[in-house]
Amino acid sequence: MKYVLVTGGVVSGLGKGVTASSIGLLLKACGLRVTSIKIDPYLNTDAGTMSPFEHGEVFVLDDGGEVDLDLGNYERFLDTKLTRDHNITTGKIYQSVIDKERRGDYLGKTVQVVPHITDAIQEWIERVAMIPVDGKSGSPDVCVIELGGTIGDIESMPFIEALGQFSYRVGTENFCLIHVSLVPVLNVVGEQKTKPTQHSVRQLRGLGLTPHILTCRSTTALEENVKVKVSQFCHVPAENIITLYDVPNIWHIPLLLRDQKAHEAILKVLNLLGKAGKPELDEWISRAEKCDKLHEPVHIAMVGKYTGLSDSYLSVLKALVHASVSHGKKLFVDWVPASDLEDATKKENPDAYKAAWKLLKGADGVLVPGGFGDRGVQGKILAAKYARENRKPFLGICLGMQIAVIDFARSVLGLKDANSTEFDPNTKNPCVIFMPEGSKTHMGGTMRLGSRRTYFHVLDCKSAKLYGNRSFIDERHRHRYEVNPDMVGRLEKAGLSFTGKDGKDETSRRMEIVELPNHPYFVGVQFHPEFKSRPGKPSPLFLGLIAAACGELDVALHSCGSQRTVLNGLVNCPMKLKYRNATPAKCTNGLPDGVYSNGNGIYL
């Protein structure tokens, strides 16, 4: 097994996740089997209980693991299926060591950070790296490990020590260290400054790790004299210093690495030049180039609670990108804070209220993503109502499906107090209730999580056609509350159609997909289809939303139904993504981790 470690220095938010994903893609293109591990030094056991404002979205895996959003990048770039163990946290490591101590596994020894914590880290890495993630049997060839945080952080010290020991344990030909650093350009001086990178590498070397390759983030390509200077002061060969400068979209990053022969440098360190071939990236190159040429717009109103940080909905944004490019459209996401649509905002902040409604009404389609808590719920209900009454394409995910059902019960059935027991435990008309697969008292890992099967009960419906007329699908879930099965009969009599359920027969109690048959596109799903969307294989339901927003749904349905593959003949590539905000988005450190900008907007 070969290991590639990616660390970061100077500041956070340099794009280590995208760099690690791009390195993995490049090695995979060389014919190697690649897996990925993300190390997060925080004390949380997993990302499940953290606010999106703290750490971005929580990405959910097939096995129900609630993990860092970078694992989503890995899965999308490499088209793999990772497990919860591929995300290592301080909490998991300490918990496993303490559990061993309680069982007496250490035979009465004093349990210490060195060697017990550091040994546990190394053993975890070796064990997880052997797990196949590409659907084939046998172990991968290379494991790309990303160490979260910045070199020098106190909480990452045990991992730095463990990885230093690990590099000697596996041998020099099996370990390659890539350090991502910053080379800023000061406007006053106008030159690229290398001092931050010098200090970062010096600190890394002082901790026992010596980088083989430096990837330098900068606004422009490094000048030759700057490369020479970095090489001299950081003791890294000039040919191993790679520039990752700002690009129109992140799909150019693997190409930047290839053009600067980063793969050859990595393969040389790992003694794999004889085994690996030249990187086959023809499809990727075509994808990246075509993405930059899109010009026909499609506007999607994103009505959510966490619109102040785009990373909160990263997978949803990626899925929208995949789908919109499949239709050859340039995506514009119009951020609509859900609470700004409510009557209270009309009184307190009329300008924000008008701006939010203007964006909603001007959009080609409406998307209400998942979420928790009651803030903004009434605004989301109003958004679903507007889309339903004005025949505007609508996709509701998780909570987005639930609020669509609540609106229907209130507006069509006349149940004015219809609600979810999550928001009103005493409601007389509970449309959405707590379903007993989780716990009401413990929050972490207690929801209905991971891949679950959904069976189509109505085959002549939009969602079934978009999925290629399959009898069932497997999608990932993350929720506690679901549509009240006792109200399904009344809702269906009034015109709502529950086309997908968790079982094959009518005894199914969990509603998975809901549609309005006579609406151009009004679909709600209890699962999260965004987690399985890939650049070359967009999520069918996102394809449906974009197609309906562009007036091309009939063509999309025919294509999906006849080929049993989603829009197989169309160009699938990432694309340029710009944002319009009713309230300006605020991103930590200027840009979310892994987002590159050329000054004309934010591009994913």
Side-chain angles (χ1 to χ4, degrees):
M1 174 63 69
K2 307 288 186 177
Y3 299 91
V4 177
L5 172 63
V6 179
T7 61
V10 185
V11 294
S12 60
L14 288 178
K16 292 191 306 298
V18 173
T19 302
S21 301
S22 300
I23 290 167
L25 174 67
L26 195 57
L27 294 175
K28 181 179 179 181
C30 291
L32 300 172
R33 296 178 62 194
V34 182
T35 186
S36 307
I37 292 176
K38 173 67 186 298
I39 297 175
D40 284 302
Y42 48 67
L43 281 169
N44 303 62
T45 301
D46 58 35
T49 58
M50 289 193 289
S51 164
F53 283 126
E54 285 282 326
H55 211 68
E57 76 167 1
V58 176
F59 191 79
V60 178
L61 303 171
D62 269 3
D63 66 358
E66 297 174 286
V67 297
D68 183 81
L69 57 81
D70 278 321
L71 274 79
N73 280 327
Y74 306 156
E75 285 202 344
R76 284 186 288 268
F77 269 69
L78 300 174
D79 194 18
T80 55
K81 290 184 179 180
L82 302 174
T83 71
R84 68 177 74 233
D85 286 347
H86 285 87
N87 191 191
I88 305 174
T89 68
T90 299
K92 286 181 179 178
I93 295 296
Y94 273 77
Q95 188 174 60
S96 67
V97 170
I98 290 171
D99 287 344
K100 286 183 178 179
E101 186 273 331
R102 290 291 86 186
R103 291 197 304 267
D105 291 0
Y106 296 117
L107 301 176
K109 291 183 178 292
T110 301
V111 179
Q112 299 174 292
V113 173
V114 182
H116 301 99
I117 294 296
T118 53
D119 283 353
I121 293 168
Q122 295 175 67
E123 290 164 5
W124 193 301
I125 291 173
E126 283 190 309
R127 172 177 59 83
V128 174
M130 303 300 288
I131 300 173
V133 296
D134 55 3
K136 302 175 183 178
S137 60
S139 302
D141 300 311
V142 181
C143 177
V144 179
I145 307 166
E146 178 192 349
L147 176 61
T150 305
I151 292 300
D153 293 344
I154 293 174
E155 58 265 30
S156 64
M157 290 303 178
F159 292 100
I160 295 289
E161 175 61 28
L163 290 165
Q165 295 178 16
F166 190 69
S167 65
Y168 289 101
R169 177 173 170 176
V170 299
T172 55
E173 290 189 347
N174 297 317
F175 188 87
C176 178
L177 173 55
I178 300 173
H179 188 59
V180 183
S181 188
L182 177 68
V183 178
V185 178
L186 301 182
N187 291 332
V188 178
V189 183
E191 64 175 315
Q192 295 171 328
K193 309 300 289 185
T194 65
K195 195 64 70 176
T197 294
Q198 293 178 41
H199 285 297
S200 179
V201 172
R202 185 178 296 121
Q203 189 170 23
L204 184 64
R205 291 167 65 91
L207 294 170
L209 288 171
T210 300
H212 299 95
I213 299 169
L214 284 179
T215 58
C216 300
R217 285 286 288 115
S218 190
T219 54
T220 58
L222 290 188
E223 300 168 5
E224 282 305 313
N225 64 314
V226 174
K227 273 192 175 184
V228 172
K229 187 175 181 180
V230 171
S231 175
Q232 289 176 339
F233 282 92
C234 297
H235 304 169
V236 175
E239 61 269 21
N240 286 9
I241 296 174
I242 311 297
T243 310
L244 294 183
Y245 52 84
D246 293 351
V247 292
N249 64 70
I250 63 170
W251 312 110
H252 285 281
I253 301 301
L255 307 182
L256 281 182
L257 292 169
R258 182 210 58 176
D259 293 344
Q260 298 173 74
K261 302 187 185 304
H263 59 291
E264 293 183 6
I266 297 169
L267 295 173
K268 183 178 180 181
V269 173
L270 298 177
N271 195 26
L272 285 174
L273 285 172
K275 180 177 181 179
K278 293 183 178 180
E280 298 291 337
L281 287 168
D282 292 344
E283 182 181 350
W284 197 271
I285 294 170
S286 175
R287 189 173 284 158
E289 290 176 349
K290 290 178 180 177
C291 290
D292 299 334
K293 299 176 182 178
L294 298 172
H295 60 274
E296 188 174 344
V298 58
H299 287 268
I300 300 297
M302 180 89 79
V303 183
K305 177 180 177 182
Y306 308 108
T307 55
L309 179 63
S310 60
D311 267 8
S312 301
Y313 302 111
L314 186 60
S315 290
V316 176
L317 292 174
K318 298 291 187 183
L320 283 172
V321 169
H322 302 159
S324 58
V325 177
S326 293
H327 289 281
K329 299 296 188 293
K330 182 176 180 178
L331 176 67
F332 289 81
V333 176
D334 300 337
W335 294 102
V336 182
S339 56
D340 286 358
L341 297 172
E342 298 173 356
D343 291 338
T345 303
K346 184 178 182 179
K347 299 176 183 177
E348 298 169 2
N349 191 343
D351 291 340
Y353 178 82
K354 291 178 182 178
W357 276 102
K358 183 179 180 180
L359 286 178
L360 182 67
K361 293 179 179 180
D364 301 308
V366 178
L367 193 154
V368 179
F372 298 91
D374 58 1
R375 182 168 66 85
V377 166
Q378 295 308 313
K380 294 176 183 179
I381 293 173
L382 290 170
K385 181 178 181 180
Y386 176 82
R388 177 178 55 81
E389 293 180 343
N390 292 275
R391 300 179 64 78
K392 192 175 288 279
F394 172 88
L395 176 61
I397 298 173
C398 197
L399 178 61
M401 168 185 168
Q402 297 170 12
I403 57 96
V405 173
I406 293 172
D407 161 59
F408 192 87
R410 290 179 180 180
S411 302
V412 180
L413 292 182
L415 305 176
K416 300 302 180 183
D417 66 339
N419 213 331
S420 167
T421 56
E422 179 181 5
F423 313 127
D424 181 6
N426 300 315
T427 178
K428 294 181 180 178
N429 290 288
C431 292
V432 179
I433 62 173
F434 177 78
M435 297 290 273
E437 194 173 292
S439 167
K440 286 187 176 181
T441 57
H442 289 75
M443 298 186 72
T446 59
M447 292 180 281
R448 191 166 191 249
L449 289 164
S451 182
R452 297 287 193 279
R453 183 153 293 180
T454 294
Y455 293 90
F456 286 105
H457 285 238
V458 180
L459 295 180
D460 186 20
C461 65
K462 297 180 180 68
S463 56
K465 291 177 181 177
L466 286 168
Y467 276 101
N469 295 319
R470 303 175 195 169
S471 58
F472 64 84
I473 55 173
D474 295 310
E475 292 282 8
R476 299 176 184 179
H477 293 65
R478 184 176 185 251
H479 59 89
R480 293 186 180 90
Y481 291 79
E482 299 188 41
V483 173
N484 185 353
D486 295 334
M487 289 195 67
V488 168
R490 296 175 63 186
L491 292 166
E492 289 194 317
K493 285 181 181 179
L496 209 56
S497 178
F498 291 93
T499 58
K501 302 179 183 180
D502 72 324
K504 296 181 179 180
D505 54 36
E506 294 306 317
T507 62
S508 305
R509 301 283 290 172
R510 298 183 188 274
M511 305 299 114
E512 296 285 354
I513 307 175
V514 64
E515 295 186 35
L516 273 177
N518 297 322
H519 192 283
Y521 190 80
F522 193 94
V523 178
V525 291
Q526 187 59 68
F527 48 81
H528 289 264
E530 68 270 22
F531 292 141
K532 294 180 73 172
S533 183
R534 303 288 182 266
K537 294 182 289 186
S539 165
L541 296 175
F542 281 84
L543 282 168
L545 174 66
I546 297 297
C550 298
E552 301 172 359
L553 183 60
D554 288 342
V555 176
L557 292 176
H558 176 75
S559 176
C560 296
S562 61
Q563 299 180 28
R564 288 183 66 88
T565 57
V566 181
L567 295 175
N568 192 40
L570 296 177
V571 179
N572 293 320
C573 59
M575 60 159 298
K576 188 179 294 185
L577 175 63
K578 294 187 176 181
Y579 302 94
R580 294 194 305 172
N581 295 276
T583 302
K586 296 178 181 178
C587 300
T588 56
N589 301 312
L591 288 176
D593 187 29
V595 174
Y596 293 78
S597 171
N598 67 358
N600 297 323
I602 298 176
Y603 304 89
L604 293 180

